[in-house]
Amino acid sequence: EINLCDEYKIKYILEKNNTMMAGAIKTLVENSKYDYFLFLESDFRSCKNKQITKLILNFAIDSLQNKELDVIRLRNLKNPGHPIHWSLQKREGLYYNDNTELYLCTHYLKDPHLVYPEYIKKINESPVLYKMSSKNCVYTNNPNITSKKFYTENIFPYISTGEHLEPEISNFWKSSNFNVGITSGIFTHVRIDGHTNMEIGRAHV
């Protein structure tokens, strides 16, 4: 990985110890230069062309500034990649996982805001943008963009070096009422560590 970064002149941060996901996120946020932070794990890939990617990213930043959103998700709704367990949510509806993962319906419903108007608002048509509460969108390390200020004030207190972050912040996240934006998305998950389609039913997004 270091050789690849050197070859393509990509800046990297090398830590002496494995700080796991939580520690890595904290380090990246602390070292980022700009007011907004785009988080991507290494196995998420762009699935849209340069023009659409730039459009969605600029739109996301503008929406964070002007539409009173705290975080915006960028995993592609139609091509999310593997694994994703929306079929379980589709089967159980509002009862699935105490309704903390209702956001999964945006991957299979054409008009989720019409099916679940109490929980989902469509606040922009093109590019599409849905608004939901964090109560119905579990915290995830999936592609998202937010402000450094929001990350520092709300995520940092739950970061424990050597942990994964998602389990540590879960209860706080679902008990809060943060405004989560969901776009049509520009990134897809290409799993390279051995997951198979047989595991899709129990994989965690």
Side-chain angles (χ1 to χ4, degrees), residues 72-109:
I72 294 180
R73 297 187 174 186
L74 297 166
R75 186 170 182 173
N76 191 262
L77 297 184
K78 302 305 179 186
N79 182 22
H82 177 77
I84 192 165
H85 54 284
W86 62 257
S87 60
L88 299 179
Q89 192 279 327
K90 182 178 182 180
R91 184 177 65 206
E92 299 182 29
L94 298 177
Y95 298 100
Y96 179 67
N97 199 13
D98 296 325
N99 203 21
T100 59
E101 296 187 76
L102 181 61
Y103 76 95
L104 288 168
C105 75
T106 59
H107 287 280
Y108 66 84
L109 288 177

Side-chain angles (χ1 to χ4, degrees), residues 3-199:
N3 291 338
L4 284 172
C5 288
D6 289 339
E7 180 180 353
Y8 292 99
K9 296 180 173 54
I10 299 172
K11 179 183 177 181
Y12 60 86
I13 300 170
L14 185 63
E15 297 184 316
K16 293 182 179 179
N17 300 308
N18 184 359
T19 61
M20 301 294 285
M21 186 62 69
I25 293 173
K26 186 173 188 293
T27 298
L28 288 172
V29 174
E30 290 174 337
N31 283 274
S32 63
K33 296 189 298 182
Y34 302 105
D35 293 334
Y36 294 93
F37 181 77
L38 169 64
F39 175 75
L40 291 174
E41 291 183 345
S42 60
D43 49 5
F44 274 97
R45 302 179 185 179
S46 174
C47 61
K48 295 296 181 179
N49 63 37
K50 183 177 180 179
Q51 181 179 2
I52 294 176
T53 298
K54 184 176 181 180
L55 172 68
I56 296 295
L57 288 177
N58 286 335
F59 173 69
I61 293 174
D62 180 72
S63 298
L64 288 171
Q65 295 172 331
N66 300 312
K67 296 186 184 295
E68 299 182 345
L69 297 172
D70 298 306
V71 59
I72 294 180
R73 297 187 174 186
L74 297 166
R75 186 170 182 173
N76 191 262
L77 297 184
K78 302 305 179 186
N79 182 22
H82 177 77
I84 192 165
H85 54 284
W86 62 257
S87 60
L88 299 179
Q89 192 279 327
K90 182 178 182 180
R91 184 177 65 206
E92 299 182 29
L94 298 177
Y95 298 100
Y96 179 67
N97 199 13
D98 296 325
N99 203 21
T100 59
E101 296 187 76
L102 181 61
Y103 76 95
L104 288 168
C105 75
T106 59
H107 287 280
Y108 66 84
L109 288 177
K110 180 180 179 181
D111 295 304
H113 61 296
L114 299 181
V115 179
Y116 298 109
E118 183 180 351
Y119 301 97
I120 305 173
K121 306 297 180 185
K122 192 175 189 179
I123 58 177
N124 202 75
E125 184 68 36
S126 182
V128 67
L129 179 64
Y130 300 110
K131 179 181 177 181
M132 298 184 66
S133 168
S134 60
K135 297 178 184 295
N136 310 112
C137 301
V138 291
Y139 180 83
T140 176
N141 290 331
N142 279 205
N144 66 81
I145 188 167
T146 187
S147 67
K148 287 182 66 175
K149 182 177 184 294
F150 179 80
Y151 237 113
T152 302
E153 293 179 355
N154 297 286
I155 309 300
F156 273 21
Y158 295 88
I159 287 181
S160 178
T161 297
E163 301 296 338
H164 294 286
L165 184 56
E166 287 175 323
E168 288 72 30
I169 201 173
S170 177
N171 289 333
F172 163 72
W173 190 260
K174 67 184 180 182
S175 66
S176 301
N177 192 30
F178 298 127
N179 293 315
V180 178
I182 299 176
T183 68
S184 55
I186 51 179
F187 298 103
T188 187
H189 195 206
V190 182
R191 196 76 187 235
I192 58 175
D193 63 355
H195 271 254
T196 68
N197 288 329
M198 295 296 293
E199 296 173 292

